[in-house]
Structure formats: C-alpha cells, structure tokens
Amino acid sequence: LITCLFAWEALDSRGKPTVGCEVALAGGGRGTTTVPSGASTGRHEARELRDGDARYGGNGVSRAVANVTGEIADAVRGLDATDQRQLDTTLRTLDGTADLGRLGSNAVLAVSVAAARAAADARRVSLYEAIAEPGTTPLLPLPMINIISGGAHAGRALDVQDFLAVPLGATAFAQAISWASRVRAGTADILAERGLPVALVADEGGLGPVLPSNRTALDMLVQGIERAGLRPGDDVGIAIDIAATQFQQEDGSYRLAAEDRELTSAALVEELADWCAGYPIVSLEDALAEDDWDGWSLASRRLAGRQLLGDDLFVTDLDRLGRGINQGVANAVLVKPNQTGTLDAARTVVRSAHAAGYGTVLSARSGETEDDWLADLAVGWRTGQIKVGSTTRSERTAKWNRLLRIEAELGSRAEYAGAQALAFAKH
Ligand code: PGA
Ligand code: ZN
C-alpha cells in the first residue's frame, strides 16, 4: 500500500525542468523515476503543467511537483501499488480533465511509473517482470537507432526529423546495437570526408549536418552503412520519422524548407514513394500531419508493404488508434507513455494495437533523463520494437544499456524480436 509520495524538480537532457518522484510502500518497497518531455509534440497529447513564471523561462514544474506531494498524495495514500489500473484511474479521475492538464501529465506519469517501480521492488522482481502480462515471457525489442537528425531536434537543418538505422539482419539485441554504433561511426566518417562538422550532436544523439536535401541525408546513411561493412537493405534497413506536422502550413500543404518546395498531401506521398523506390526504407513515421486523415489514407495505400507508424497521428490515444484501425490508416503505433499520462493507458494502447495486428514501437522523447524504465516496458509488454535515439548521450544509452543487461542476464532464455517485429512483416 502506498504510504508516502515525495517529488522534486529535476532536469531533462535539454536542461529543462521535469518531475522526479519517489513512491514508498508500507512494508518497504520504494520506486523512483523522472519523466521525459517532447519538442515536436502533437496537438492531441496529454498536457504537461509548467509554471509559466520567471524561473527557467517559464518551464519550471514546481506546481506539478506540489500537486504530487499535495493533492495526489492525499488521493493515492493507502492504494495498492500492484493494482496499476486502480491507481491510474484514480489519478485520471482526480485530475478531471481529458488531457490531464489540471494536475499535469508530467506529475501524473511520474506517480504512475514510480508506483510501478515500488510494486516491483516490494516483490523483489525486475520492473519488466512485474509489468508483464500473466503467462508471457520477456521479449527484447528490435531497435531503431537515430543516425542523422533534422527538424525540431537539430535546428531544422533538414525537414525530416529522424533518419534511423534498423539492424534487420542482427540475431540478438546486442548485435543490433553494435551494428548501429558502427553505422553511426561510418556515417560520421562519410560526412567528415565532405567537410561537414560531426562533433556536435542533436537532441537525440544523432548527427545534425546541414545538407542540401533530405535525399542527401538518405545517401549519407546508405554510404555510412556500407562504410560500416554492412549491406544496406539486407543487414540494415532505414526508418524515417518525417514528423510532417512540423512542416505543414496553414493551408494544409507541406513545405520542404531544405529544398524550397511546397507539396500537397498527394505530392508528399509521391515524394516519399520515390524515396522508398531508391532507398531501403522499411518504416515511415508521421508521413503526414496529425489531422491529415485523408493524406494518411492515401499513404496507407500507396506506401503499403512498409511499416507506417503513427506518432503525432495517434498520440498513444486509444480512440485515435481505434479510428486508424477502422479506417485502415497506418499499420503501427508509436507508444510514448507521456503522450497519454499513465502506464495503464499506454499498456491498453499496446494491447489494442496487437489485437488489431498493428505493430508497436515504444518510444522515448527528445527531452529525456538518465532513467531507464522505458526499456523494461518494451521487454515486459513485448512491444517488439523500441526507439530511444542514437548510440551517444547517456540519456539514450541508459535505455540501450538496460536492454543489454536484460539480454545478458536472461542468457540462453533471451528471446529477441528481430526484423519480424516490423508491422509489414505481419501481413
Ligand atoms: P519529440 O520527438 O519527443 O520531440 O516529440 C520524438 C518523435 O517525434 O518521435
Ligand atoms: Zn515522431
């Protein structure tokens, strides 16, 4: 039973305040966490509470922290931390708004995750074991690893936000990470040979070069894979997060600033189809903007045969995912627990996606912390895929390192999802 809640203002990887929380249970279990924060946030996400005063340029979270130790603590004291649904429902009801904006999704998620950790601690099991569905075994996810960054994470030098490596041919998680690390180094070499600076890293640890076009970034990545001694398309595929919401204009058209071009939804889909024809792209995220359902329908037909992943489109929301499933839009969902605010709601989205044959990619945010709970969720919930950034920056490697440790500890019992986890492989 929850006896005590403690919270504080911590910093995320961009130096912006975030909520830290510790939950203590009667009998001794304890769980601590800090929560992440996005930059290219979707309009339909749960709402963080920020102070809006002079401290930290308005980004302080002292009110969210006070909500944890005040109103939330009063409401959850005495609740059973092993009953995540009851706890998360209590938090949602207490907040009373659809987007958790009153108490703050940052406050609510911190309590939800810290309680899960405390419940695992009380049982003396790992978080991934504590949160697993009964009767299931742990599953190490296929990683997609950021190599080149653009968009809101790298000063908008490129329109496309992430160019990622997907180690299709790796047969274990550790091998996948070692290949990704080589691809990053290989791509850095290729860029350096063109005289581009490679010492600076973007928000998610990827390279952030200024390139003349999005296609050039794809070229650099393909050459980087080759430089790593790996075969593009066979050993390593490419995933892209277009994050199209970020460059949609008022009139609905899309502006590729790097190339000074304006495209309709249909033209953007054709452009992406061209990229798919020329490069080994296996997954496209947010190909269209968050409310461009018609464009998304078109993309789902035109780009079929690849994983079409909804991030800003679905915002880890059961209703929006349900609409996508009903309309045959996309075939995979990006799952960011802080988009919905509680672990129980995120888990429900994972279950519902799997029931519909949709793929699931558990995802970090561009503003992260050194906390690693996301890794345990991927393994325990058997999401099959995970995306947490590049192989540099400790807030990224914290998650990879946790997965590496879990795989090593499981030894011969470790099951690795591999390339079959990609959504198109299921149909
Ligand atoms: P965000 O970006 O955390 O800044 O929203 C991550 C993503 O778009 O996948
Ligand atoms: Zn995204």
Side-chain angles (χ1 to χ4, degrees), residues 40 161-162 241-243 285-286 311-312 334 336 363 387:
S40 65
Q161 182 177 285
D162 302 341
D241 181 1
I242 296 117
E285 178 179 334
D286 283 351
D311 171 11
D312 293 346
L334 201 78
K336 291 169 165 169
S363 172
K387 169 186 162 183

Side-chain angles (χ1 to χ4, degrees), residues 56-76:
Y56 289 109
N59 287 313
V61 294
S62 66
R63 287 193 295 146
V65 164
N67 287 341
V68 173
T69 52
E71 214 181 317
I72 294 178
D74 290 342
V76 305

